[in-house]
Amino acid sequence: MNLFRPEVQRLHGYVPGEQPQDAGWIKLNTNENPYPPAPKVIAAIQQAAEGRLNVYPDPLATRFRKVAAELFDVEPDMILPANGSDENLTILLRTFISPGELVAYPYPSYILYETLAEIQGGKFERVWLNTDWSWNDTRTQSVVKRSKLFFVPNPNSPSGNVWSDDELLKLQPEKGVLVIDEAYADFSEPHSRLHLLQQDGGNQRVITRTLSKSCSLAGIRFGFAIAQPELIAGMRKVKDSYNCNTLSLAAATAALEEQEWMRKNVRKIISTRNRLVTGMRSAGFNVVDSETNFVWATRDDGCSEIFEELKLRKILVRYMRFDGTMADETIEGLRITVGTDDEIDGFLSAMTEILGS
Ligand SMILES: *Cc1c(COP(=O)(O)O)cnc(C)c1O
């Protein structure tokens, strides 16, 4: 007896990066921040835990939205908090996609968009990027025209590059919503494309942000969307009433108040990233200039054996393979999260050892 919805039956399911539960790993595979959150964030969680956990949290996250609104210079009604940015992606699908409607996104990028579209009963199309991570305009426009939702990570993953305002605006569906996924925007200049919400067509755009990467809170699960109040009001209708819990709301609010802590960690990560890029290039890898907390490295003779060798040494990076590009070639490479200086030193010396043997 098959009880599943056909959409679920067909689903392969998104496979997240490994989270080893034993100690001793250099973990560079899921773009977490190697530094802890600010002490005031820990204090806020402790205080909230000693408070009233027997009652439900504020369903509207009033205090968080006020702090976020001030920081981004928008109205609180333009903010929708969620249990991780991934929950906001799900909310976007449930808000805007009826069965059969088209979800599009650049490829290679964040495959989860595709999984979420399938769950919702929507269709999806991958828009193949050129090998230099630029857009092929003809190919792109034919898909944008038919899209109801167009997702674009900016900066992109796994490549780490950013696209300009002009390039992003070309992705705006005429009768649909452009979602700019800014999971890594704190690592890039400018830090956000918020101004695109205020321009013509801004009422058809949503920006999603996460506290998992730059704010060192992947374990807390917190993200938020920014859009014009009308869009946020519609999205709020489909969210769970209490999608953000008391502890995560306290942590997220404190984290946004500790901008200097986040900026300091971002600066450290960027300087370590520069060393990583230099080291990888001299080891013979092709490395894309990164505006994120990870780098994308490829080599002409492939990377899968190197990935396995690193794993034997308890160093975990992400091996990624994207099949069926326009050029009919396979794109495969290593996405390496920027860890601490010590972790990256360990990684680079293991790499030298592997390549020398
Ligand atoms: C990490 C990441 C997210 C998810 O963020 P969470 O808040 O941890 O759910 C979303 N989009 C992209 C492109 C990411 O890399």
Side-chain angles (χ1 to χ4, degrees):
M1 190 166 45
N2 179 9
L3 301 173
F4 295 110
R5 291 167 54 214
E7 292 83 357
V8 175
Q9 180 71 27
R10 276 196 302 269
L11 207 64
H12 298 300
Y14 177 74
V15 185
E18 284 175 74
Q19 302 294 347
Q21 298 300 312
D22 54 325
W25 287 86
I26 296 183
K27 189 174 179 308
L28 307 173
N29 69 329
T30 47
N31 297 346
E32 290 127 334
N33 198 309
Y35 303 109
K40 281 193 184 159
V41 172
I42 316 285
I45 296 171
Q46 258 156 1
Q47 204 189 355
E50 287 159 11
R52 301 198 306 153
L53 288 184
N54 56 313
V55 299
Y56 285 108
D58 174 6
L60 292 177
T62 313
R63 208 170 97 66
F64 173 81
R65 287 192 301 128
K66 185 166 171 290
V67 170
E70 270 166 28
L71 183 62
F72 288 89
D73 197 18
V74 296
E75 293 302 312
D77 285 353
M78 292 180 67
I79 308 271
L80 185 70
N83 181 31
S85 188
D86 285 348
E87 192 203 9
N88 260 331
L89 302 179
T90 300
I91 288 173
L92 283 161
L93 264 297
R94 290 166 61 190
T95 306
F96 296 110
I97 295 298
S98 293
E101 287 189 312
L102 183 63
V103 177
Y105 74 105
Y107 192 85
S109 77
Y110 194 37
I111 308 287
L112 181 69
Y113 306 132
E114 178 172 313
T115 309
L116 296 177
E118 285 182 292
I119 294 172
Q120 185 63 21
K123 287 188 298 192
F124 67 84
E125 262 185 61
R126 303 167 171 179
V127 178
W128 285 300
L129 295 165
N130 296 326
T131 43
D132 65 356
W133 304 96
S134 63
W135 298 86
N136 173 309
D137 276 342
T138 329
R139 205 149 67 216
T140 306
Q141 284 319 307
S142 83
V143 180
V144 169
K145 245 189 240 136
R146 291 176 282 114
S147 301
K148 184 69 184 299
L149 262 185
F150 198 106
F151 286 103
V152 57
N154 198 55
N156 190 34
S157 171
S159 48
N161 68 297
V162 284
W163 289 299
S164 67
D165 284 9
D166 283 348
E167 287 169 302
L168 294 172
L169 288 173
K170 284 188 195 164
L171 308 175
Q172 176 72 56
E174 200 181 314
K175 293 195 178 113
V177 177
L178 173 64
V179 180
I180 305 175
D181 181 342
E182 293 195 337
Y184 302 102
D186 282 328
F187 299 97
S188 77
E189 289 287 344
H191 300 318
S192 178
R193 301 307 170 121
L194 215 60
H195 52 276
L196 297 183
L197 302 183
Q198 314 290 355
Q199 300 174 359
D200 219 22
N203 58 351
Q204 289 175 242
R205 284 168 211 150
V206 176
I207 285 176
T208 60
R209 313 267 309 189
T210 175
L211 274 67
S212 297
K213 281 53 185 253
S214 59
C215 291
S216 309
L217 286 177
I220 281 289
R221 310 302 302 128
F222 201 93
F224 56 100
I226 314 175
Q228 291 297 338
E230 205 180 77
L231 288 189
I232 293 292
M235 291 169 66
R236 189 179 292 131
K237 285 201 243 173
V238 314
K239 83 173 182 73
D240 290 345
S241 306
Y242 305 112
N243 62 330
C244 298
N245 68 68
T246 301
L247 302 184
S248 74
L249 282 168
T253 310
L256 288 198
E257 287 170 337
E258 292 292 292
Q259 286 298 296
E260 231 355 90
W261 181 273
M262 180 273 280
R263 287 276 151 235
K264 184 188 69 184
N265 289 336
V266 165
R267 284 193 296 270
K268 276 198 274 189
I269 288 166
I270 289 176
S271 93
T272 310
R273 181 185 75 202
N274 294 339
R275 290 182 44 230
L276 173 61
V277 170
T278 308
M280 291 299 279
R281 284 187 180 144
S282 47
F285 286 84
N286 314 306
V287 184
V288 183
D289 285 331
S290 168
E291 302 221 24
T292 60
N293 65 336
F294 57 84
V295 302
W296 176 245
T298 59
R299 50 192 301 133
D300 301 336
D301 52 355
C303 292
S304 62
E305 285 171 26
I306 295 174
F307 167 77
E308 296 298 342
E309 285 292 328
L310 286 166
K311 203 168 167 180
L312 289 176
R313 292 162 174 80
K314 287 200 123 179
I315 299 173
L316 203 52
V317 299
R318 193 80 168 262
Y319 171 75
M320 291 177 145
R321 195 188 142 106
F322 300 89
D323 288 310
T325 65
M326 277 312 270
D328 259 352
E329 60 184 37
T330 296
I331 294 182
E332 57 133 45
L334 302 179
R335 196 192 65 185
I336 306 143
T337 304
V338 180
T340 61
D341 275 319
D342 282 353
E343 288 173 323
I344 293 305
D345 286 343
F347 165 81
L348 286 172
S349 62
M351 186 62 80
T352 311
E353 186 185 297
I354 293 165
L355 292 172
S357 60

